[in-house]
Amino acid sequence: DVVVVRYVGPVGAPGMVEIMEATEAIVNLGLDESVALITDGRFFRILPGPIIGHVSPEAAIGGPIALVEDGDIIEIDIENRSLKLDVPEDELARRRQALVLPEPRVKKGFMRTYAKNCLPPERGAAMQAWD
């Protein structure tokens, strides 16, 4: 099984939310060898089992993680550092067409500016411009 935690990346949170509660729940329930966790957020420390963070592009900007539905097969290839959502392309196209991204959680202030101007996680999630 795979638990997907999304909309907690740089734009969605905004900032990269620590999802320690989800990872600890999996470990504390003894599921760390049978349940994977995938997130566009981040986690702290080394944990057992397949826990994959910093997924990009993140859900809040329409990345593939936003298209995952219950029952989908997700292939995890740790050795080659890849994830694959095993859903036919025509179905993914239908989901993209129907996708409604949530409104930004923060409407004003620095964090709104950050969410509008930050880089993706693989480029440091740092802010690049001010508006």
Side-chain angles (χ1 to χ4, degrees):
D1 291 320
V2 178
V3 173
V4 177
V5 179
R6 56 188 166 195
Y7 299 109
V8 292
V11 174
M16 290 191 76
V17 172
E18 165 65 56
I19 57 149
M20 185 174 64
E21 293 85 4
T23 56
E24 285 186 345
I26 289 171
V27 171
N28 290 339
L29 291 170
L31 300 173
D32 50 299
E33 292 191 20
S34 61
V35 174
L37 185 136
I38 298 172
T39 182
D40 52 9
R42 65 182 175 85
F43 51 91
F44 177 70
R45 72 184 152 167
I46 306 274
L47 297 163
I51 298 175
I52 301 158
H54 300 216
V55 171
S56 182
E58 68 177 284
I61 60 170
I65 193 171
L67 305 176
V68 176
E69 293 183 0
D70 286 345
D72 286 348
I73 302 295
I74 300 174
E75 295 179 25
I76 302 171
D77 184 343
I78 294 172
E79 187 174 308
N80 292 306
R81 300 175 58 97
S82 68
L83 295 172
K84 179 184 177 208
L85 180 56
D86 194 11
V87 174
E89 192 54 47
D90 60 330
E91 173 61 15
L92 290 176
R94 184 196 67 73
R95 291 180 189 182
R96 273 188 206 95
Q97 210 50 25
L99 181 63
V100 177
L101 296 174
E103 288 289 318
R105 294 179 191 187
V106 179
K107 305 286 188 204
K108 61 183 180 176
F110 174 77
M111 291 309 286
R112 181 204 57 87
T113 300
Y114 169 81
K116 285 180 63 181
N117 298 293
C118 66
L119 291 171
E122 71 273 13
R123 295 191 52 215
M127 211 170 81
Q128 291 303 293
W130 293 85
D131 65 356

